[in-house]
Structures are given as structure tokens and as C-alpha cells.
Amino acid sequence: MKTPSYNPSTLEVHFANALSTLQKELEKHIENNKIIHVESHVKRDNPMVRFSLLDDDGDPHEIVVRIIQVPDKF
């Protein structure tokens, strides 16, 4: 399937939504941290998912994942 639009693309939006729903699964792979909030911005040119974390010492941390689909090469 060719991608008609990249701002954002449907694939980028679906990928961002998938990341948002994987909170509990992701927590299993990040030792000593708990994800306390997930914020999704799927309408941006490059969708973004922001994870707010709290480590075992009570310190807050933030991870931002920006999703960028490169143009199709046909």
C-alpha cells in the first residue's frame, strides 16, 4: 500500500497508539522504573508518545518517543 500522506501517516498514528497501549508490557523491561503516565500526541506531523516514569528512589524521569515514517521507496 502506498502512503498518500505523511503528516502524519496512518502508520505513524497506529504505531503511536500501539506504544501507548503497551504500558504494562514496557514496564517489564525497564528495571527499577514504573510508568506513571502516558501522553499521546498523534495529530502532530510526527506523532509523539511521552512516558512519565518514577524510579525506585522516587525520582521522576521522562522518555519521549517520536514516530517518523520515512517516505516509501518504490
Side-chain angles (χ1 to χ4, degrees), residues 13-69:
V13 171
H14 288 299
F15 204 90
N17 287 331
L19 274 177
S20 297
T21 62
L22 291 173
Q23 175 178 343
K24 292 298 178 195
E25 187 63 30
L26 290 170
E27 266 185 1
K28 295 176 187 177
H29 302 280
I30 49 174
E31 276 185 36
N32 307 318
N33 285 275
K34 180 176 177 71
I35 298 172
I36 56 173
H37 182 70
V38 179
E39 187 178 317
S40 242
H41 299 275
V42 296
K43 298 204 185 284
R44 299 177 69 153
D45 180 13
N46 300 119
M48 179 180 82
V49 182
R50 181 183 310 262
F51 295 89
S52 299
L53 298 96
L54 201 59
D55 67 18
D56 284 348
D57 295 330
D59 298 326
H61 301 282
E62 201 169 73
I63 298 290
V64 176
V65 179
R66 184 156 290 178
I67 293 96
I68 301 169
Q69 180 182 2

